[in-house]
Amino acid sequence: MERIDKPQVPPPNYLVWAILTTIFCCLPFGIVSIVFAAQVNSKWQVEDYEGAKHASRNAKIWAWVSFGVAIAGYIIYLTLILLGVAVGFWTDAFNW
Amino acid sequence: MHSTGNLPTGLKIGLFLIVAGIASLFFFLDPEEQRLFPKCVFHSVTGYYCPGCGSQRAIYSLLHLNIPGVVSNNFLFLPGMIVVIYGVVLPAVNRKFGVNYPNFLYYKWTPLWILIIVILFAVLRNLPWYPFSLLAPGS
């Protein structure tokens, strides 16, 4: 008879990274990551180990998406500044 | 990604240098005045504040030990930092000393509470009325 052993520890929920990207970064994708972190914990509790692992992967992916978008945004922003375009663009477009 | 315990030494030193470099940027340059620091894309596009708005000014304030400045720029900055430090230090302590303290980040309701707090914060800090207006960055 096949038996699935209970793994010793839950898969990482990446909640720390979700919080980092949500509060210390600038884009709200980290919230998606928090949602998946919640799923890791709740699925682990009801002994859905595969589901918990899957949620763990998603939590990781979305933390990276949030981080990546922020970095990409910053690189674009820096490029615009270096091109001397940003100043005029932001002041004109948004009346800063 | 879950812990830094198994990173190669070179990478650790590299990470440390990057963090130290960014920290000194934030110490010497005021995000309020410098164009070098990115504006929040979310804020630029929508005009609303996201949960992360004000964090750069909060880092600047924190490095100058201006705690009221940290709180007024982003109310969740300090609590968030404490949770992050806890989430990094506790597993490291467990590993290092071979103990097994429970990690409250893995309790069932913790992420949901954090989610509720973050979303509430995002909504409330955009309300123009006192006392919610205090939650907007810089007030």
Side-chain angles (χ1 to χ4, degrees):
Chain A
M1 199 179 97
E2 213 177 326
R3 211 178 71 88
I4 301 167
D5 285 320
K6 183 184 191 295
Q8 287 293 303
V9 286
N13 62 14
Y14 301 104
L15 188 53
V16 164
W17 295 93
I19 294 170
L20 269 177
T21 54
T22 306
I23 297 181
F24 304 99
C25 220
C26 297
L27 277 152
F29 289 115
I31 289 175
V32 182
S33 193
I34 299 180
V35 171
F36 281 116
Q39 285 189 8
V40 173
N41 295 14
S42 58
K43 287 188 171 167
W44 179 259
Q45 291 257 323
V46 296
E47 306 191 348
D48 174 7
Y49 306 125
E50 269 311 305
K53 256 196 210 162
H54 188 71
S56 170
R57 267 197 300 275
N58 280 325
K60 186 180 181 176
I61 289 168
W62 283 100
W64 277 111
V65 168
S66 180
F67 183 65
V69 169
I71 294 289
Y74 183 51
I75 291 172
I76 292 169
Y77 178 85
L78 264 191
T79 313
L80 285 176
I81 284 193
L82 292 177
L83 290 174
V85 173
V87 177
F89 176 72
W90 291 119
T91 43
D92 289 352
F94 298 103
N95 294 318
W96 279 0
Chain B
M1 194 158 170
H2 187 47
S3 69
T4 54
N6 38 22
L7 289 178
T9 315
L11 195 56
K12 272 186 195 167
I13 294 172
L15 275 178
F16 175 78
L17 288 179
I18 290 172
V19 171
I22 293 174
S24 46
L25 269 187
F26 273 104
F27 183 79
F28 290 113
L29 303 176
D30 186 350
E32 201 88 59
E33 293 167 5
Q34 293 289 330
R35 287 185 186 280
L36 187 65
F37 296 95
K39 301 279 180 216
C40 175
V41 179
F42 182 82
H43 181 68
S44 305
V45 173
T46 64
Y48 293 109
Y49 298 119
C50 74
C53 285
S55 279
Q56 296 190 84
R57 282 161 280 171
I59 295 174
Y60 176 83
S61 304
L62 184 66
L63 291 173
H64 289 84
L65 302 178
N66 172 11
I67 300 302
V70 179
V71 176
S72 71
N73 277 312
N74 191 328
F75 188 74
L76 287 187
F77 188 89
L78 286 178
M81 214 176 68
I82 290 168
V83 172
V84 166
I85 291 172
Y86 169 90
V88 171
V89 169
L90 185 89
V93 166
N94 277 345
R95 216 175 23 249
K96 180 135 188 149
F97 298 102
V99 287
N100 199 13
Y101 294 120
N103 186 338
F104 89 90
L105 295 180
Y106 283 85
Y107 292 177
K108 188 179 175 188
W109 299 109
T110 307
L112 289 170
W113 275 112
I114 289 175
L115 185 68
I116 291 168
I117 291 169
V118 165
I119 289 177
L120 259 185
F121 180 59
V123 172
L124 294 182
R125 73 187 320 206
N126 284 296
L127 300 180
W129 317 289
Y130 186 87
F132 305 119
S133 50
L134 288 179
L135 293 174
S139 48

